[in-house]
Amino acid sequence: MSSKPSAVEVRRQFIDFFSKREHRELPSGPVFPQDDPTLLFTNAGMNQFKDVFLGTGTRDYKRAVDTQKCIRVSGKHNDLEEVGVDTYHHTFFEMLGNWSFGDYFKRDAIIWAWELLTEVWKLPKERLWVTVFSGDKTDGLPADEEAEAIWLKETNIDPAHVLRFDRRDNFWEMGETGPCGPCSEIHIDRGDAVTEPLLGANPELGVNAGNERFIELWNLVFMQYNRLGDGSLKELPAKHVDTGMGFERVLSVLQGVHSNYDTDLFAPIFARIGELSGQTYGEDETRDIAFRVIADHMRAVSSALADGALPSNTGRGYVLRRLLRRAARYGRQALGMEEPFLFEVIPAVADVLGQAFPEISGRIEHLQLIVRKEEESFGRTLGRGIIQFDRLADSVAKAKADTLKGEDAFELYATYGFPRDLVELMARERDLKLDASGWERAETEHRNASRSEGAFKQLLSAEDLEGLSPTISTYHPNLESLSAKDFEASLAGRSKVVRVIGEDPALLILASSPFYAESGGQIGDRGVIEDPEGRWSFRVDDTKKMGAVIVHLGELSGSEPSAGDAADCKVDRAHRLPTQRNHTATHLLHSALREVLGEHVAQQ
Ligand code: SER
């Protein structure tokens, strides 16, 4: 590339490359799943396609391309501690991805990736390294010789630059269970490849050794298994491709800068932080970390708030509150910002991210209002935290001891957001020590608690989902276009049993269903599903959806139905109609609120 391409151009080049190869261009999914409070944030581009990989959902296209808003701050993929300290981790980042749903597999994925990098973007191949899966004994999986052979025989990569790594690096899994498969990663050497050409293969200094010289650019995942709850692997019904490229990283490479934070995705945000604080990025490492933390966290918070999240004391709201406090604290400690200022960074964030995600630029005022309120309340909390610290320190002094109990001191972090180094500093000022192992114990417990928050808890386990097809929905809303007679008829129907799972509540899955499954606004239908021959009857207390599978929850009486049994469905009309009216009324209220208060009103 001769001149430096902008972020907007690079994003477009990626999308156009795959659009030309018959991929459907899709908008990013939201940064957190709207209907699933148990998954805190979208942590990979594939989240919105999980049902397709498992075979429980379908799309009307077989290839797709997009840039997905991702946040990695909890659960299996968590980069928070690295953020700000190094120059290439983020809580919020964009993942460029191309997808094949049961269509092309390893060969096209590898050849196209290589073509885009080396022919379109003209990255020198001497700087590129790739990795393939070396196999795993426990899982009984062989090395991925197929991918390795494609790299070696069908691209012009230097054979010495193809390396094997084990499951930690080259077997991608979304969570504890779910779709997974071997992957092939492409890394770039940003160091001096001329004087030390083979350093990439050095286990201490090279690829996957955790340094800033060799960084991963693109991960090509070959989805072919489902990890079940007992840890075993089951072949998926079809094979898929899920690729994810770190947009900020590839941009830094193409713009010829050493850090993601030196690209035009960050420069305008740094300029704004500079204006507000009177400091300049690039002059002092401590202040630079603060600039990076603030810019990163404000990108994450702005995108989550724009998609409808709110700071709170639990779940994803708590994560957002912690990010805001971490940013505010860095602002105070490193940049001397005593007053709320993060809200004034938001317009700069919206300028940059709005190019790809217009939902952010459309809600600036709303975001500013929320962030300002959070900053004000954090200001008060900090004051209370200091009082709490004084109490703690006084009681230690009174007991003529010299050590703050770790568990108590950790509360200053958990409740008031005080980092460990600040607590240690305050302790030193009063000639006290901090009991480090107690702090660490409390921290581990706290982390485990927030990890389980982020786990993919779901209605059906990976085993339950195994082999299910989408349920055919015969649900009809009570529309004017439907005659009263047809509407009544739509509340009943004959179907077939697919599977019954567990009890309390029992879950019944049918081939087709007239029951409305809760999603977003309206709660699920109730009613009865019965054997026409009277051997069993299932009282439906609620209806939910897992991907495209409709799940009836309730109680079974009589004998156990078998797969293939006929099933007569009757939706409870007396429950459906008022539910539907309430749902309509909510929409009317929402629309009135938007008219009076503005477009930023969001239904929660
Ligand atoms: N799912 C893979 C990842 O997140 C590739 O998109 O790295």
Side-chain angles (χ1 to χ4, degrees):
M1 293 258 129
S2 45
S3 67
K4 230 168 147 175
S6 69
V8 173
E9 284 163 343
V10 171
R11 209 188 271 113
R12 188 52 26 222
Q13 286 158 359
F14 182 90
I15 288 175
D16 286 350
F17 181 87
F18 287 102
S19 299
K20 277 193 204 121
R21 287 158 183 82
E22 288 154 32
H23 289 62
R24 171 91 57 93
E25 177 179 348
L26 300 177
S28 169
V31 78
F32 60 87
Q34 305 282 306
D35 289 333
D36 182 358
T38 60
L39 170 56
L40 291 191
F41 293 102
T42 301
N43 63 4
M46 55 76 67
N47 290 180
Q48 63 165 320
F49 305 116
K50 183 181 169 192
D51 58 323
V52 188
F53 293 138
L54 289 175
T56 58
T58 51
R59 299 289 188 276
D60 63 353
Y61 42 82
K62 290 194 142 174
R63 300 177 181 188
V65 58
D66 66 1
T67 180
Q68 172 65 49
K69 298 177 279 188
C70 296
I71 292 185
R72 288 188 176 176
V73 281
S74 61
K76 187 171 169 68
H77 300 280
N78 181 357
D79 295 330
L80 181 61
E81 298 309 320
E82 272 85 23
V83 172
V85 180
D86 70 23
T87 60
Y88 60 104
H89 277 101
H90 302 285
T91 57
F92 173 91
F93 62 98
E94 284 179 57
M95 191 181 279
L96 297 166
N98 58 291
W99 313 88
S100 154
F101 305 120
D103 189 23
Y104 63 84
F105 202 44
K106 296 181 186 176
R107 187 172 177 277
D108 288 320
I110 290 175
I111 290 177
W112 285 336
W114 191 246
E115 186 183 335
L116 177 61
L117 293 176
T118 60
E119 288 174 34
V120 179
W121 285 338
K122 304 209 182 317
L123 296 181
K125 67 187 180 73
E126 321 68 85
R127 289 190 176 272
L128 296 174
W129 292 74
V130 305
T131 63
V132 295
F133 181 48
S134 63
D136 188 83
K137 280 215 186 86
T138 324
D139 280 335
L141 296 177
D144 190 353
E145 287 175 3
E146 186 188 352
E148 191 174 53
I150 298 168
W151 281 114
L152 293 173
K153 296 197 185 117
E154 304 203 38
T155 74
N156 60 358
I157 193 168
D158 178 343
H161 285 208
V162 180
L163 309 173
R164 286 187 181 192
F165 281 88
D166 66 16
R167 62 183 294 174
R168 270 170 307 184
D169 293 299
N170 278 78
F171 194 86
W172 200 84
E173 311 205 33
M174 171 180 172
E176 300 311 321
T177 61
C180 53
C183 59
S184 187
E185 294 180 344
I186 304 167
H187 296 244
I188 187 149
D189 180 355
R190 302 195 296 178
D192 191 350
V194 177
T195 53
E196 291 189 278
L198 281 180
L199 199 54
N202 181 313
E204 264 91 54
L205 303 168
V207 171
N208 283 334
N211 53 61
E212 297 201 15
R213 172 168 171 180
F214 292 90
I215 58 164
E216 177 195 335
L217 281 185
W218 202 348
N219 188 8
L220 317 179
V221 182
F222 311 120
M223 291 285 186
Q224 67 190 95
Y225 303 104
N226 185 10
R227 172 83 64 194
L228 304 182
D230 64 3
S232 65
L233 292 176
K234 186 103 200 229
E235 287 267 351
L236 290 174
K239 292 177 180 166
H240 315 276
V241 171
D242 151 22
T243 89
M245 162 141 64
F247 176 52
E248 294 76 9
R249 290 185 183 182
V250 81
L251 188 65
S252 75
V253 169
L254 293 172
Q255 295 191 341
V257 291
H258 191 68
S259 142
N260 297 356
Y261 292 92
D262 295 331
T263 64
D264 61 340
L265 285 176
F266 286 91
I269 307 177
F270 284 176
R272 184 71 187 127
I273 301 171
E275 262 167 37
L276 293 166
S277 64
Q279 310 283 358
T280 308
Y281 182 69
E283 290 185 343
D284 169 85
E285 183 54 14
T286 308
R287 288 203 293 271
D288 286 356
I289 292 176
F291 269 80
R292 293 196 286 264
V293 167
I294 293 165
D296 171 89
H297 291 7
M298 290 315 292
R299 278 163 36 105
V301 168
S302 303
S303 68
L305 297 183
D307 278 343
L310 288 172
S312 72
N313 278 334
T314 54
R316 79 172 56 104
Y318 182 52
V319 173
L320 295 178
R321 179 161 284 166
R322 271 178 17 216
L323 286 178
L324 276 170
R325 292 183 170 190
R326 192 165 186 257
R329 218 187 55 228
Y330 272 92
R332 276 174 190 259
Q333 285 175 289
L335 304 179
M337 307 299 290
E338 295 293 331
E339 296 301 317
F341 73 103
L342 295 172
F343 75 98
E344 297 199 70
V345 178
I346 290 173
V349 173
D351 265 356
V352 179
L353 288 182
Q355 296 159 350
F357 313 108
E359 60 277 17
I360 299 176
S361 22
R363 305 189 75 195
I364 296 179
E365 264 177 58
H366 166 71
L367 307 190
Q368 287 195 290
L369 200 76
I370 295 173
V371 169
R372 183 174 197 159
K373 281 230 165 334
E374 277 296 300
E375 290 189 86
E376 286 165 357
S377 97
F378 183 48
R380 293 190 292 272
T381 307
L382 263 184
R384 285 202 296 273
I386 290 168
I387 295 174
Q388 180 62 20
F389 173 83
D390 285 341
R391 273 203 203 117
L392 212 62
D394 286 347
S395 71
V396 173
K398 231 192 243 143
K400 302 219 180 313
D402 64 351
T403 307
L404 282 180
K405 257 176 104 181
E407 283 85 353
D408 295 343
F410 185 75
E411 273 308 300
L412 291 167
Y413 170 76
T415 311
Y416 303 104
F418 283 30
R420 177 168 166 172
D421 53 3
L422 179 64
V423 177
E424 276 170 342
L425 188 80
M426 288 164 70
R428 263 202 306 279
E429 282 169 7
R430 304 216 11 188
D431 281 333
L432 297 173
K433 284 191 299 239
L434 174 70
D435 149 34
S437 55
W439 176 287
E440 278 148 24
R441 262 196 313 277
E443 190 169 39
T444 310
E445 254 170 47
H446 183 82
R447 213 179 272 140
N448 288 342
S450 53
R451 187 168 295 145
S452 57
E453 269 168 22
F456 287 86
K457 280 185 238 125
Q458 52 192 25
L459 192 57
L460 298 179
S461 69
E463 278 91 341
D464 297 336
L465 280 167
E466 186 56 38
L468 289 179
S469 315
T471 312
I472 299 164
S473 172
T474 55
Y475 160 78
H476 273 291
N478 186 10
L479 297 176
E480 277 173 18
S481 59
L482 206 66
S483 73
K485 197 162 142 258
D486 287 347
F487 173 68
E488 290 304 326
S490 78
L491 294 176
R494 163 119 355 144
S495 179
K496 254 197 210 139
V497 172
V498 172
R499 196 172 289 177
V500 189
I501 300 162
E503 48 190 36
D504 199 22
L507 310 178
L508 174 61
I509 298 164
L510 302 176
S512 65
S513 170
F515 284 77
Y516 177 81
E518 174 179 345
S519 54
Q522 183 172 325
I523 58 169
D525 273 340
R526 295 185 194 160
V528 186
I529 301 172
E530 301 175 306
D531 175 18
E533 292 174 23
R535 287 168 302 183
W536 55 266
S537 164
F538 190 92
R539 190 190 70 226
V540 181
D541 298 328
D542 197 0
T543 310
K544 293 182 186 288
K545 236 191 221 165
M546 266 297 303
V549 176
I550 297 176
V551 185
H552 309 89
L553 295 86
E555 194 178 293
L556 175 71
S557 34
S559 60
E560 179 92 354
S562 316
D565 275 6
D568 278 341
C569 304
K570 282 182 209 123
V571 175
D572 180 354
R573 185 179 187 283
H575 180 258
R576 162 79 74 80
L577 291 181
T579 306
Q580 210 157 21
R581 282 196 290 270
N582 289 341
H583 188 205
T584 307
T586 312
H587 277 294
L588 293 174
L589 174 64
H590 189 205
S591 144
L593 286 172
R594 282 171 88 103
E595 210 168 282
V596 177
L597 298 173
E599 287 303 307
H600 63 274
V601 172
Q603 193 173 322
Q604 301 278 324

